[in-house]
């Protein structure tokens, strides 16, 4: 890790300067935090699993034409990504009532929504990621109405695709958070998917038992946190039956 210049350290990842201009190396840590860092801990092996899960999902999204920052996985904990200017918005897509939506409206967690809801939050830990509307986003110059159309359409396509993918492995995609960035190519700017998609940023429930297979196990001390992350990877076919100790080979197992 010392060989590269560190650009940024976040809660779950570190960004390093990449091997060529316009690239970054994204390193996945085992550190976990919740409630805006008021709770923190370690989920052993999480970084390795999230690196794989995010690689898997971003590759599939790339395949269906969703532009992402993912280039390739470098090793157990690192992936090469394209450097983008992060748009300071967290885009949350919800299919089932849970988390802050349930709290805000006093609604029962687990109720399916008649249609998917997209919410925006300003990406700012200092301000505790306040919820925002399109009005704030355009008035404060974070994104134009055209950018927002593009973000909304990408978010819904990603949701449709991921709902189907998880349904196929017996998992309900309750909600998830996305981040987008701007990529300059010659004199054109494109909006592409950035950050990660993993059980840190998604709520994933077993279809039959409603067991939580995501970071809520850590947030609410539900136990078997490591098992939940491994179970998602195992069902996606990217973790051998015998566990993460076997994740040594260079080939993605699919
Ligand atoms: N989420 C995230 N990072 C955040 C806030 C939320 O990845 O800083 C994810 C979270 O894991 C969940 C979805 O976004 O899948 C919706 O989160 P919610 O608004 O319910 O907030 P929470 O109660 O999880 O903080």
């Amino acid at each position: 890790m010392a060989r590269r210049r560190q650009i940024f350290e976040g809660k779950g990842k570190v960004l390093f300067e990449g091997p060529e201009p316009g690239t970054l190396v994204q390193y996945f840590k085992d550190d976990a935090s919740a409630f805006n860092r008021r709770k923190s801990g370690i989920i052993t092996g999480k970084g390795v699993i999230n690196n794989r899960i995010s690689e898997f999902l971003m590759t599939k999204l790339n395949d269906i034409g969703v532009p992402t920052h993912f280039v390739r996985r470098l090793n157990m904990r690192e992936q090469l990504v394209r450097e983008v200017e992060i748009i300071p918005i967290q885009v949350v897509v919800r299919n089932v009532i849970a988390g802050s939506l349930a709290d805000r409206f006093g609604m029962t967690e687990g109720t399916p929504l008649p249609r998917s809801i997209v919410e925006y939050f300003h990406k700012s830990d200092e301000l505790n990621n306040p919820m925002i509307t399109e009005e704030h986003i355009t008035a404060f110059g974070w994104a134009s109405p055209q950018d927002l159309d593009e973000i909304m359409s990408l978010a819904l396509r990603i949701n449709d695709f991921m709902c189907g993918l998880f349904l196929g492995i017996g998992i309900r995609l309750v909600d998830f958070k996305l981040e987008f960035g701007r990529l300059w190519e010659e004199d054109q700017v494109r909006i592409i998917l950035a950050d990660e998609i993993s059980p840190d940023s998604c709520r994933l429930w077993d279809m039959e038992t409603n067991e939580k297979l995501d970071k809520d196990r850590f947030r609410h001390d539900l136990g078997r946190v490591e098992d939940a992350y491994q179970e998602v990877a195992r069902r996606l076919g990217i973790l051998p039956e015998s566990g993460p100790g076997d994740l040594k080979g260079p080939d993605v197992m699919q």
Side-chain angles (χ1 to χ4, degrees):
M1 277 172 69
R3 66 208 137 99
R4 288 189 276 252
R5 193 164 70 87
Q6 185 174 312
I7 307 278
F8 175 78
E9 176 152 16
K11 287 173 272 190
K13 297 188 293 294
V14 188
L15 288 176
F16 296 95
E17 203 171 59
E20 58 221 55
T23 64
L24 295 174
V25 172
Q26 190 165 249
Y27 176 96
F28 288 75
K29 301 191 282 186
D30 284 351
D31 301 49
S33 74
F35 311 118
N36 204 9
R37 297 193 201 229
R38 275 180 282 123
K39 180 182 171 100
S40 61
I42 298 284
I43 303 174
T44 308
K46 172 173 82 78
V48 174
I49 289 179
N50 282 358
N51 187 22
R52 286 273 181 145
I53 292 178
S54 205
E55 169 195 26
F56 180 86
L57 295 172
M58 294 249 182
T59 304
K60 296 261 180 225
L61 287 166
N62 261 320
D63 290 348
I64 61 155
V66 172
T68 81
H69 73 159
F70 180 80
V71 179
R72 66 174 180 276
R73 187 167 58 80
L74 297 171
N75 54 50
M76 298 267 280
R77 286 185 184 270
E78 293 178 327
Q79 50 183 240
L80 186 69
V81 298
R82 280 191 271 192
E83 186 173 20
V84 294
E85 178 197 81
I86 289 287
I87 298 171
I89 301 170
Q90 295 184 328
V91 180
V92 170
V93 186
R94 302 180 182 274
N95 301 303
V96 177
I97 295 177
S100 74
L101 181 68
D103 296 342
R104 241 180 290 139
F105 298 102
M107 288 177 171
T108 311
E109 189 165 90
T111 313
L113 289 161
R115 47 169 285 193
S116 305
I117 292 179
V118 179
E119 294 177 340
Y120 302 108
F121 297 84
H122 177 40
K123 199 171 138 60
S124 163
D125 287 341
E126 301 80 66
L127 300 173
N128 211 7
N129 299 327
M131 192 177 183
I132 48 176
T133 68
E134 298 197 359
E135 299 283 303
H136 301 104
I137 296 170
T138 51
F140 301 151
W142 293 323
S144 68
Q146 292 76 17
D147 291 343
L148 273 175
D149 283 351
E150 179 68 8
I151 287 170
M152 173 73 96
S153 122
L154 286 171
L156 292 174
R157 270 176 75 196
I158 293 166
N159 185 44
D160 279 351
F161 178 76
M162 293 220 307
C163 274
L165 189 140
F166 281 112
L167 187 68
I169 54 168
I171 290 176
R172 178 173 294 126
L173 179 61
V174 169
D175 58 32
F176 59 98
K177 185 260 304 180
L178 300 171
E179 292 184 22
F180 294 90
R182 288 193 184 86
L183 179 70
W184 271 267
E185 278 175 332
E186 277 133 43
D187 45 5
Q188 284 224 326
V189 188
R190 275 204 304 153
I191 290 180
I192 68 173
L193 179 65
D195 193 47
E196 70 177 285
I197 310 179
S198 72
D200 270 6
S201 59
C202 301
R203 283 197 171 89
L204 304 167
W205 296 359
D206 181 83
M207 292 285 287
E208 295 202 335
T209 63
N210 278 338
E211 188 187 9
K212 295 180 198 297
L213 300 172
D214 56 59
K215 203 167 90 173
D216 271 353
R217 298 205 76 81
F218 168 79
R219 288 190 187 99
H220 304 299
D221 297 317
L222 301 178
R224 301 200 331 279
V225 186
E226 283 85 0
D227 290 355
Y229 283 70
Q230 282 175 33
E231 177 64 12
V232 175
R234 195 189 58 73
R235 289 200 203 177
L236 286 170
I238 52 181
L239 180 69
E241 297 290 327
S242 45
D246 276 11
L247 279 176
K248 294 202 184 77
D251 301 326
V252 184
M253 277 169 260
Q254 291 181 19

